[in-house]
Amino acid sequence: MNKPKMATEKGVPSNSRVTMLLGQLERMNGEAMGRDVEMARQLTTKILHLIQTQEKSGKEVMSKGSTGMEVILASLESSRDVQTSLNILCILTELLTVGRGRRVGVFVSKGGTGILFQVLIISSKELPPSEELMLQLHSLLAKVGPKDRKFGVKARLSGALNITTNIIKQNLQNTKLLLPCLQVLRVYCTNSVNAISLGKNGAVELMFKIVAPYSKKNTSLLKVALDALGALLKSKTNARRAVDGGHIPVLLTLYMDWHRNDTRHRHMLIRKGLLVCLRNITNIKLGRKAFIEADGMRILYNSSTECLPVRTLDPLINTSSLIMRKCFPKNRLPLPTIKSAFHFQLPHVPAGGPVEQLYSQPPGVDDVADESDDNEEADTDTENDEDDKDCCALNDDIETDLDKLHPKRIINRPFEELRFYERFFSELSEDFQGYNFDCSKSTSTTSSSTSLQSTASSRSTRPIVVPTAAAPAPKHAPIPNSHEDYSSVKGHAQSSPSDPTSTHGAPLELDAIHLSKDKDKKEDPNIPTPDGHLHLSSFSRSPSEGDVIEKELTHPFESVSLDDEGVLNSEEGSEGVKHGGSPLNTMRHIHSPLLLGGIPTRRVGGGGGGSNWGSDCGSEGADDEGGEGAVLEVPDTALLLPLHDPDLYVEMVKGTRSVPQYAEVAYPDYFGHVAPTFSEPLLERLYGVQRSKIFQDIERLIHPNDIVDKKVYDLDIPSCPVTEDNGEFLKFNSQFESGNLRKAVQVRKNEYDLVLNADINSNHYHQWFYFEVSGMRVGTTYRFNIINCEKSNSQFNYGMQVLMYSVQEAINGRPRWVRTGTDICYYKNHFARSSIAAGGQKGKSYYTMTFSTSFSHKDDVCYFAYHYPYTYSTLKMHLSKLEDLRTPQIYLRQDILCETLMGNGCPLLTITAMPESNSNDHICQFRNRPLIFLSARVHPGETNASWVMKGTLEFLMGTSPLAVSLREAYIFKIVPMLNPDGVINGNHRCSLSGEDLNRQWLTPNPELHPTIYHTKSLLQYLAYIQKAPLVFCDYHGHSRKKNVFMYGCSVKETVWQTNISATSSDLQEDLGYRTLPKILSQIAPAFSMGSCSFVVERSKESTARVVVWREIGVKRSYTMESTLCGCDQGKYKGLQIGTRELEEMGAQFCMSLLRLKRLTGLRNHHHLLDLETDVIGTHVKTVSSCSTTYVLDEDEPSFLEAIDYSAESNDEDGEPESELVGEVNESLDQLSDSETNHRD
């Protein structure tokens, strides 16, 4: 016998049985196959038997180098005998059943799919077609289809779609044949064109004839039919057919039938299939309407509620939830307009700018919601669909123009114009000839910080009040007429907080407020009331009581012990008498002073609250004229916080100008924040918390009678805040510096929807919040929903909590912001976002950030904030207090760089060391020190940037050897707050111009963007005189990533991310831009080198980082991002970040500059650099050379839910790093004033 021509795998004998048979079959291919039918049957039967009985036979056919598959397919193609074809199909089935898909891939690559369709077409023409052949063909097609990417196209072009559909129509009762046909149909429908074509041929109606009520028979068939139907209904056209055919009620009935009868949950896939069909139908508006009309919301809600106890039914609950959320009627935000509640008239409105677009809308246009949701398709992707789109186009934003990538100093302004800024660099020309280096201080370096206070105070002509939560009679204090102070977009005059109908009662002039500390003063002390404000006591008291209180006030270090009578009086109260038109209160004394960390407390006396401290927040008797007085022990935070002084803060508030003309001071800002000594771990997310919150939202539609829907706070109406007080709802307030809350709606008894205010002259940027809550009950859990968030995801889904400040806790000796909130999640809601707000896109929704909390004190007053607040007045106070830290060796100058649109000053600081003497050598060294330029807070909502800056400033003004060395090494130019107006008015991202100031650096407008214009001018002046900064760093906050990290600029790393061709000369650059981030990754536990990026993006060409790099020529130009959430690496892994860690980061940034000084070969301070090298230079671990992580948006990059933050953080080496950080922190503890004070 002749040897076959078949190729065989090496090592397999060529004369093996299956190889010989395949060789014979190969020779029969073609016409011989038709002539010798019996021989073909025998050969194929023998091959089938061998493959079925011997595993090695199948391996021989499918082995690499074998042509067995080609022979089998050629035989199938040329065969016209049904039995032979059946044998070959069975052979293929056996071969493709094993191999984990590899064999199917080989089959597809050999053109097997096309041959199967060809056989199907030929066989279908026979009358009647062979049922067995159709069964085998469709079984094999069902197996092959999912592995062939062009399966749908091949099926459509070959005409197989109609054949399969006709077979199904003709065999509805033939379960054996129906099953593989439906499996193939399911694969057909994965191609959208096929799905539409099949729908036209009646496939949708055909599937509804197959799906049936609950039965234990043919469940596999029903499952496949539902899968095929679900795939068909992905087409909008087919979904309309289903709706027009009245099939939504049918699907709901079927689902409930299976839900009720499948008590043992054995057929969950069938129930899931029914839900998938409903999900796909409700992707169109018509389907959602039909679903609502069929009472689908109630049906799915009830069934899902019954499924909740069974964890394995979660797929059903999740799909039901998705359907209900999609079909929930879109609600309108309860606002008259999405524009800010406050309006500021710009000096001029730039043509084509965002403000012109905002106010150029025709009158009567509803910018809150579109007239109708004309978008036929709902968002069918996940809630992170926007992120997915961003990821697809991730590299599209990278700069590819090599000319733009190479930094070139471009001044574009005459030096005569820049010479104006010489006044801010007097240290470069100062000769110190008139300075006495032996005296303690010199006028030559006297701080001009008083200009911040004096100029601001001179502008303040309106009364500033710190109101209480009570509403005393107007005669207790004068009521200034300030109705005109509040302006809204609609032009309504907002009610002044001094309105006697206000819940916050009569205002008190800030000028009269002080804390009594001098025993010779006879003024009544002031009462910090539980609403978070100060209330000037207008009650007179007996001389004996006054003497006792004044004596206590003058001896704060003594522990006061009162007699039993005083204690009894606190229980019994005293009788009020009239004296001089004011009620006379008997004071109630607290038994002993409260101490915080061994620091004596400040004692404040007062009255009006009675035995219930804070009862004026909502309990009975708040307005009684004869209430009891009180002497309260409150910690003196001025002793705890060296840069905080409540009295000074009040003075600073007087000179702060705001658009709403705020006349109140929030208690946390007045009293200060002492960082807690305990760590606050990231919140562990409970399973199913988001689902439970969504179900509670759906209940609003299911049980509308349970909804209160009562506005309790509204900036858009003159009667804000709501004055009714029956104790049935919380009271809100945000009318203080940096406050942001526009409206509060009581939804249920203990649930509130909160709406944030847009940035002024804008209609979006809803993220920052800061508001006050009072009137709460102890032990009651309240739910708060911020319902107009815009980002598609948030760190609130990954362990971040809101911040709360309790006034009662502060009075008890714990004045601090703490992380709080349970059941926190962030998800897409049912409030429609208009196309005007969504940049022209229709069908978009807002997102909800929800959290629950309870309160520990009755009638407490609490504040909630997105992050640790840091107001403009706080900055002014801190800068004023910095002067107290100045020693004769420190050169500190504070200037006002410019005024903002609102007339607030933008501070500019210069910090360095005084020259050793006025000798020429020392003066020359002084003037030649390299400059470090720092800025912060261009985005108002990124308050963490200010806390980092505070840490930097405290370190620079410290007395430690490292601080001294740093001042001797550099001249620091610092703009600590680039956007004062935005900070003051509670904006999140913009200034009063309605624009993101960090996108204006290319061509800043001196009128609209004065702080950016003048800051850039400072840098241009430095570049012109050849004194460009060694380092420029802009401090920012980051809402979607953990840790602290940097963005820089690199030509090489940018080119690496693109496909552009570049020569080696194009890629030559100094790698010094990586030095500072690497140093920080070695010494700062919160810093992550793996999160840094040095890619230059087109969308960032107008940011500070890129402009300073490109135009000023600063290669070390950075944005330093600090997380708003916490860390996932290093010492702080698993912890939320606090002010202590942020201030520490600011100090460690200074430390890194010292090491940079040594590495860049600058003047060497031997003894100090040796110390610094010992700390951070010799024991550092090697930083992993991981690839640069590219992030689309440096300020708010896209955030994927599946991000693993630790993927690039080199967590394996965490222990050595923690040891190093411990050494650095020990050094910082010994050398940094701020750290020492905090640890007290």
Side-chain angles (χ1 to χ4, degrees):
M1 191 170 78
N2 296 329
K3 292 184 179 180
K5 298 176 183 178
M6 258 190 60
T8 59
E9 185 180 11
K10 183 179 180 181
V12 178
S14 61
N15 59 350
S16 67
R17 178 80 171 150
V18 70
T19 303
M20 293 170 59
L21 292 173
L22 285 171
Q24 295 177 37
L25 187 62
E26 183 181 21
R27 290 193 293 272
M28 287 188 64
N29 283 345
E31 296 180 0
M33 183 76 73
R35 291 195 304 267
D36 198 349
V37 173
E38 192 60 33
M39 184 63 178
R41 289 182 180 180
Q42 290 178 9
L43 285 173
T44 53
T45 301
K46 290 177 181 178
I47 294 171
L48 176 61
H49 176 73
L50 283 173
I51 291 176
Q52 287 176 333
T53 58
Q54 298 180 13
E55 184 179 350
K56 67 176 183 178
S57 297
K59 290 182 178 180
E60 289 177 28
V61 176
M62 299 301 300
S63 61
K64 293 181 180 179
S66 173
T67 57
M69 179 61 73
E70 288 93 329
V71 173
I72 295 172
L73 290 175
S75 302
L76 178 61
E77 188 175 17
S78 59
S79 173
R80 295 297 177 266
D81 177 56
V82 174
Q83 186 58 48
T84 303
S85 298
L86 282 172
N87 288 343
I88 297 174
L89 290 173
C90 289
I91 292 170
L92 290 171
T93 301
E94 291 291 335
L95 289 173
L96 301 182
T97 301
V98 295
R100 296 183 179 179
R102 187 191 70 81
R103 293 185 177 184
V104 176
V106 173
F107 175 84
V108 172
S109 68
K110 303 295 184 182
T113 307
I115 294 174
L116 291 179
F117 283 133
Q118 181 181 332
V119 175
L120 178 63
I121 299 300
I122 295 172
S123 302
S124 67
K125 295 178 181 178
E126 298 180 5
L127 294 175
S130 169
E131 179 180 321
E132 186 66 24
L133 186 60
M134 291 298 170
L135 175 64
Q136 289 296 333
L137 276 170
H138 282 88
S139 297
L140 200 54
L141 285 168
K143 191 183 296 294
V144 171
K147 297 292 183 179
D148 189 347
R149 293 182 179 179
K150 297 185 178 181
F151 185 81
V153 177
K154 294 174 183 177
R156 184 170 68 253
L157 295 178
S158 66
L161 301 181
N162 292 336
I163 294 173
T164 303
T165 306
N166 291 332
I167 293 174
I168 294 174
K169 289 179 180 178
Q170 297 164 9
N171 295 273
L172 289 177
Q173 304 305 319
N174 187 346
T175 306
K176 185 178 180 182
L177 179 58
L178 198 57
L179 181 60
C181 290
L182 288 172
Q183 290 173 334
V184 176
L185 186 71
R186 176 178 60 187
V187 184
Y188 288 164
C189 295
T190 56
N191 182 288
S192 59
V193 179
N194 287 353
I196 295 172
S197 178
L198 288 166
K200 291 179 180 178
N201 291 334
V204 175
E205 291 75 10
L206 190 59
M207 293 301 101
F208 277 104
K209 292 180 181 179
I210 299 173
V211 295
Y214 176 79
S215 172
K216 294 182 180 180
K217 298 179 181 179
N218 301 326
T219 53
S220 298
L221 178 70
L222 184 55
K223 169 65 176 66
V224 176
L226 286 170
D227 288 346
L229 179 59
L232 280 167
L233 293 174
K234 285 184 178 179
S235 160
K236 292 190 294 181
T237 305
N238 291 337
R240 289 192 196 97
R241 286 194 179 93
V243 175
D244 294 339
H247 294 306
I248 284 186
V250 174
L251 288 171
L252 288 169
T253 303
L254 287 171
Y255 179 74
M256 285 307 298
D257 183 59
W258 281 89
H259 172 74
R260 283 192 295 263
N261 291 287
D262 185 26
T263 54
R264 303 182 72 175
H265 312 304
R266 292 181 174 178
H267 304 295
M268 192 178 73
L269 293 178
I270 293 177
R271 295 157 68 180
K272 176 71 179 293
L274 289 164
L275 289 175
V276 168
C277 293
L278 286 168
R279 184 193 67 191
N280 292 343
I281 292 178
T282 52
N283 282 338
I284 64 171
K285 182 180 178 181
L286 197 62
R288 297 192 287 274
K289 181 180 179 182
F291 179 83
I292 295 291
E293 292 174 351
D295 202 22
M297 294 291 286
R298 187 179 302 275
I299 291 172
L300 291 193
Y301 174 81
N302 291 336
S303 62
S304 299
T305 305
E306 294 170 9
C307 292
L308 284 174
V310 185
R311 187 77 172 262
T312 56
L313 297 181
D314 279 356
L316 302 182
I317 300 170
N318 293 337
T319 308
S320 298
S321 172
L322 180 66
I323 297 169
M324 289 187 286
R325 292 173 67 189
K326 187 171 18 177
C327 295
F328 201 114
K330 292 290 185 183
N331 287 8
R332 173 195 173 91
L333 276 179
L335 296 175
T337 174
I338 56 173
K339 294 190 285 285
S340 173
F342 307 122
H343 173 63
F344 178 79
Q345 184 62 48
L346 296 176
H348 73 272
V349 178
V355 178
E356 184 190 51
Q357 297 174 15
L358 190 69
Y359 293 101
S360 63
Q361 299 164 12
V365 171
D366 186 0
D367 63 352
V368 179
D370 297 328
E371 291 184 5
S372 62
D373 181 12
D374 296 328
N375 186 25
E376 284 297 307
E377 286 186 307
D379 293 333
T380 57
D381 298 327
T382 64
E383 290 193 0
N384 298 319
D385 52 342
E386 296 167 19
D387 293 337
D388 298 336
K389 293 174 186 176
D390 287 339
C391 289
C392 295
L394 202 59
N395 289 342
D396 294 346
D397 189 42
I398 300 179
E399 182 59 72
T400 57
D401 187 339
L402 288 174
D403 289 336
K404 291 185 177 180
L405 283 176
H406 287 283
K408 301 172 184 176
R409 288 191 179 179
I410 308 172
I411 306 300
N412 291 333
R413 293 177 66 185
F415 183 66
E416 291 73 20
E417 185 178 329
L418 293 173
R419 190 184 293 276
F420 168 81
Y421 297 94
E422 185 177 5
R423 68 184 63 186
F424 297 109
F425 298 95
S426 59
E427 68 277 2
L428 300 181
S429 57
E430 176 69 61
D431 57 11
F432 295 96
Q433 295 305 313
Y435 182 82
N436 183 357
F437 286 88
D438 296 327
C439 69
S440 60
K441 288 187 180 181
S442 169
T443 55
S444 63
T445 59
T446 299
S447 168
S448 60
S449 62
T450 52
S451 61
L452 271 170
Q453 180 176 348
S454 61
T455 59
S457 298
S458 64
R459 299 192 212 105
S460 180
T461 57
R462 70 188 190 283
I464 307 294
V465 299
V466 190
T468 69
K475 63 185 178 181
H476 292 172
I479 304 174
N481 182 15
S482 58
H483 283 271
E484 70 279 9
D485 289 352
Y486 290 82
S487 60
S488 68
V489 172
K490 299 175 67 177
H492 293 152
Q494 301 288 345
S495 68
S496 167
S498 61
D499 192 336
T501 61
S502 168
T503 57
H504 293 280
L508 302 165
E509 293 193 8
L510 211 59
D511 292 326
I513 293 177
H514 66 281
L515 289 175
S516 179
K517 289 180 275 189
D518 188 344
K519 64 181 180 180
D520 296 328
K521 293 183 179 180
K522 302 302 181 182
E523 292 89 354
D524 295 339
N526 302 277
I527 310 164
T529 59
D531 68 342
H533 307 298
L534 296 179
H535 177 46
L536 179 64
S537 174
S538 58
F539 306 127
S540 60
R541 52 180 70 83
S542 65
S544 59
E545 290 172 333
D547 293 341
V548 171
I549 295 171
E550 293 295 330
K551 184 177 181 180
E552 292 172 359
L553 289 170
T554 56
H555 298 284
F557 292 88
E558 297 178 6
S559 179
V560 181
S561 176
L562 301 177
D563 58 12
D564 293 341
E565 182 180 355
V567 177
L568 290 174
N569 285 341
S570 69
E571 301 291 336
E572 299 171 2
S574 61
E575 193 173 351
V577 281
K578 297 288 183 180
H579 179 72
S582 298
L584 176 65
N585 276 5
T586 303
M587 300 305 298
R588 181 171 65 88
H589 303 278
I590 291 179
H591 184 65
S592 62
L594 300 173
L595 302 178
L596 182 61
I599 302 296
T601 61
R602 176 179 296 175
R603 302 183 56 80
V604 181
S611 60
N612 290 327
W613 167 252
S615 62
D616 51 0
C617 294
S619 59
E620 294 181 2
D623 298 330
D624 292 347
E625 293 182 342
E628 293 177 322
V631 173
L632 302 171
E633 296 285 353
V634 291
D636 188 353
T637 49
L639 298 177
L640 291 166
L641 300 170
L643 295 189
H644 190 90
D645 185 316
D647 298 329
L648 181 58
Y649 181 80
V650 170
E651 290 301 313
M652 293 303 175
V653 171
K654 295 177 184 179
T656 297
R657 291 187 168 187
S658 62
V659 174
Q661 300 195 20
Y662 292 131
E664 301 175 18
V665 176
Y667 195 96
D669 302 323
Y670 169 82
F671 204 59
H673 160 71
V674 179
T677 56
F678 52 86
S679 60
E680 296 177 291
L682 293 168
L683 180 68
E684 184 177 352
R685 186 180 174 111
L686 298 177
Y687 180 82
V689 60
Q690 178 170 307
R691 184 175 62 197
S692 67
K693 297 300 179 184
I694 291 170
F695 271 49
Q696 290 177 25
D697 291 350
I698 293 171
E699 288 175 4
R700 301 186 186 191
L701 187 67
I702 307 297
H703 306 297
N705 293 334
D706 296 341
I707 304 304
V708 178
D709 196 26
K710 177 179 181 178
K711 286 188 290 187
V712 296
Y713 182 75
D714 193 347
L715 286 180
D716 291 295
I717 58 176
S719 59
C720 168
V722 176
T723 57
E724 175 189 352
D725 185 7
N726 53 12
E728 295 300 320
F729 60 86
L730 297 177
K731 292 182 287 186
F732 294 83
N733 182 34
S734 63
Q735 297 186 65
F736 44 80
E737 187 174 348
S738 293
N740 190 317
L741 178 67
R742 182 170 185 168
K743 178 171 288 191
V745 180
Q746 186 180 23
V747 181
R748 299 183 180 94
K749 182 177 180 181
N750 298 317
E751 181 179 354
Y752 295 84
D753 280 353
L754 309 179
V755 182
L756 303 183
N757 195 22
D759 286 4
I760 292 177
N761 279 325
S762 171
N763 60 10
H764 53 302
Y765 299 119
H766 306 102
Q767 188 164 332
W768 167 257
F769 58 85
Y770 182 18
F771 58 89
E772 169 197 300
V773 176
S774 60
M776 65 284 292
R777 299 177 185 273
V778 177
T780 300
T781 299
Y782 295 90
R783 177 184 173 185
F784 299 97
N785 313 305
I786 298 175
I787 61 173
N788 63 332
C789 301
E790 296 167 328
K791 296 184 181 298
S792 58
N793 211 332
S794 169
Q795 279 293 314
F796 283 116
N797 277 335
Y798 303 96
M800 180 172 162
Q801 293 177 283
V802 299
L803 285 151
M804 185 179 80
Y805 192 105
S806 164
V807 172
Q808 188 62 54
E809 284 292 302
I811 291 169
N812 292 341
R814 293 175 290 275
R816 62 195 177 203
W817 288 96
V818 293
R819 300 277 186 173
T820 191
T822 58
D823 296 345
I824 298 177
C825 54
Y826 187 97
Y827 58 89
K828 185 181 292 184
N829 62 30
H830 55 275
F831 288 98
R833 193 175 174 194
S834 69
S835 56
I836 295 175
Q841 300 181 69
K842 290 189 175 182
K844 293 296 181 181
S845 297
Y846 285 101
Y847 291 79
T848 289
M849 194 288 285
T850 181
F851 67 96
S852 299
T853 192
S854 57
F855 301 94
S856 302
H857 304 285
K858 181 183 179 183
D859 293 327
D860 194 2
V861 173
C862 294
Y863 291 79
F864 291 97
Y866 179 67
H867 198 68
Y868 300 93
Y870 191 102
T871 66
Y872 174 67
S873 297
T874 299
L875 173 68
K876 292 194 295 181
M877 174 189 65
H878 285 166
L879 296 185
S880 178
K881 296 289 287 184
L882 276 179
E883 180 66 20
D884 298 337
L885 301 180
R886 185 169 65 85
T887 65
Q889 291 75 36
I890 299 177
Y891 182 100
L892 168 66
R893 192 176 71 253
Q894 297 185 32
D895 300 301
I896 298 299
L897 176 61
C898 62
E899 283 197 348
T900 65
L901 287 170
M902 194 68 210
N904 295 293
C906 179
L908 169 66
L909 276 69
T910 305
I911 301 175
T912 187
M914 291 290 293
E916 295 181 25
S917 71
N918 54 11
S919 67
N920 289 337
D921 288 344
H922 288 152
I923 297 298
C924 182
Q925 186 275 337
F926 175 84
R927 295 177 180 177
N928 288 328
R929 292 171 187 168
L931 272 77
I932 305 293
F933 203 107
L934 306 178
S935 62
R937 207 66 185 282
V938 70
H939 294 144
E942 297 167 5
T943 58
N944 48 356
S946 284
W947 289 100
V948 176
M949 179 59 76
K950 179 175 181 286
T952 295
L953 293 174
E954 285 194 54
F955 185 90
L956 287 175
M957 294 299 296
T959 57
S960 70
L962 291 177
V964 172
S965 176
L966 193 63
R967 291 192 296 267
E968 292 175 352
Y970 301 109
I971 295 175
F972 286 86
K973 286 289 181 180
I974 302 174
V975 184
M977 190 171 285
L978 280 167
N979 191 353
D981 287 346
V983 171
I984 294 165
N985 293 286
N987 285 6
H988 173 66
R989 197 166 182 85
C990 298
S991 68
L992 295 185
S993 68
E995 297 167 299
D996 182 347
L997 289 184
N998 201 35
R999 296 297 185 276
Q1000 311 303 322
W1001 279 77
L1002 266 182
T1003 55
N1005 185 300
E1007 287 188 328
L1008 297 178
H1009 324 120
T1011 59
I1012 304 301
Y1013 178 84
H1014 293 291
T1015 302
K1016 183 178 181 180
S1017 298
L1018 291 177
L1019 291 161
Q1020 289 175 323
Y1021 172 79
L1022 289 172
Y1024 204 101
I1025 65 172
Q1026 305 299 312
K1027 290 281 290 184
L1030 177 70
V1031 173
F1032 171 85
C1033 190
D1034 190 18
Y1035 292 1
H1036 280 253
H1038 207 294
S1039 69
R1040 298 198 190 185
K1041 291 185 71 176
K1042 292 183 171 68
N1043 309 314
V1044 181
F1045 50 94
M1046 277 181 162
Y1047 294 114
C1049 302
S1050 164
V1051 176
K1052 185 178 295 184
E1053 297 195 32
T1054 303
V1055 171
W1056 283 346
Q1057 296 287 340
T1058 65
N1059 296 323
I1060 63 175
S1061 58
T1063 64
S1064 57
S1065 60
D1066 290 331
L1067 299 181
Q1068 286 183 354
E1069 67 177 340
D1070 188 341
L1071 296 180
Y1073 65 88
R1074 273 187 167 265
T1075 307
L1076 195 63
K1078 283 185 177 180
I1079 296 171
L1080 281 170
S1081 69
Q1082 295 166 358
I1083 69 172
F1087 194 88
S1088 169
M1089 187 68 185
S1091 297
C1092 296
S1093 173
F1094 304 94
V1095 174
V1096 180
E1097 310 91 337
R1098 293 191 185 99
S1099 62
K1100 304 301 180 299
E1101 67 177 1
S1102 58
T1103 61
R1105 165 178 65 101
V1106 177
V1107 170
V1108 173
W1109 171 72
R1110 184 178 288 163
E1111 296 187 10
I1112 310 301
V1114 179
K1115 66 181 178 183
R1116 294 183 180 89
S1117 179
Y1118 305 104
T1119 297
M1120 186 165 75
E1121 302 274 1
S1122 300
T1123 179
L1124 291 162
C1125 177
C1127 298
D1128 60 11
Q1129 50 105 61
K1131 185 173 84 171
Y1132 301 131
K1133 182 176 181 179
L1135 301 178
Q1136 297 185 75
I1137 203 160
T1139 56
R1140 185 190 306 278
E1141 292 75 33
L1142 292 169
E1143 292 184 48
E1144 177 190 78
M1145 189 66 231
Q1148 286 162 337
F1149 181 84
C1150 295
M1151 295 277 291
S1152 69
L1153 293 173
L1154 268 181
R1155 181 157 176 79
L1156 178 69
K1157 170 182 175 295
R1158 183 175 68 85
L1159 294 177
T1160 51
L1162 300 175
R1163 180 170 179 262
N1164 193 7
H1165 295 245
H1166 295 286
H1167 62 291
L1168 291 168
L1169 280 178
D1170 288 342
L1171 168 64
E1172 186 256 344
T1173 301
D1174 290 339
V1175 174
I1176 64 176
T1178 57
H1179 305 293
V1180 296
K1181 70 180 183 67
T1182 302
V1183 180
S1184 61
S1185 57
C1186 54
S1187 59
T1188 300
T1189 303
Y1190 172 67
V1191 183
L1192 177 65
D1193 189 332
E1194 77 173 28
D1195 301 315
E1196 297 297 347
S1198 298
F1199 178 83
L1200 295 181
E1201 191 159 359
I1203 274 185
D1204 178 9
Y1205 285 113
S1206 63
E1208 298 174 331
S1209 60
N1210 197 21
D1211 283 340
E1212 296 84 359
D1213 298 355
E1215 290 304 318
E1217 179 179 85
S1218 64
E1219 294 175 5
L1220 167 70
V1221 170
E1223 296 180 43
V1224 175
N1225 286 344
E1226 184 178 352
S1227 174
L1228 284 172
D1229 289 343
Q1230 297 171 356
L1231 303 175
S1232 168
D1233 294 340
S1234 61
E1235 286 297 303
T1236 302
N1237 285 316
H1238 283 324
R1239 277 168 172 74
D1240 289 338

